[in-house]
Amino acid sequence: MNDELNVIDNLEELERFLLSVENGGLGLEGVAGVGMATNNADGRHFVAVFDNNNKLLHARWITDEVFENGKEMVRNGVKAKH
């Protein structure tokens, strides 16, 4: 993972992360998608940013709660607030 100590532990932080990916705030090039996954080695969950070839560009650990409750946000994107 890119930052072992910087775990996303709430939905507001997940939203900020997703928005920063969408807005180019992380300086990543060739972003094609975002997804959640589980590390096979230790069972920890993470949110990952991929390119068109499914190459991992960036990832952050997430808590179990964020993994369970943030799936729709990752799947459908962050909705604009009015």
Side-chain angles (χ1 to χ4, degrees):
M1 288 303 127
N2 296 91
D3 188 348
E4 192 69 28
L5 301 176
N6 197 3
V7 177
I8 296 174
D9 63 1
N10 61 66
L11 294 178
E12 292 79 20
E13 191 173 347
L14 177 62
E15 181 177 1
R16 282 192 297 275
F17 174 77
L18 295 173
L19 286 172
S20 70
V21 170
E22 289 177 12
N23 297 328
L26 298 177
L28 303 173
E29 294 183 21
V31 172
V34 178
M36 289 181 161
T38 303
N39 183 322
N40 291 336
D42 61 13
R44 291 173 67 188
H45 303 297
F46 61 96
V47 60
V49 183
F50 300 99
D51 69 7
N52 284 326
N53 297 317
N54 293 322
K55 178 184 173 196
L56 180 65
L57 299 174
H58 187 79
R60 294 265 309 269
W61 294 115
I62 56 177
T63 62
D64 293 341
E65 179 183 344
V66 170
F67 182 76
E68 290 303 320
N69 297 311
K71 291 177 184 177
E72 290 300 315
M73 188 184 304
V74 171
R75 183 178 298 124
N76 299 319
V78 178
K79 305 290 187 234
K81 295 179 179 165
H82 299 281

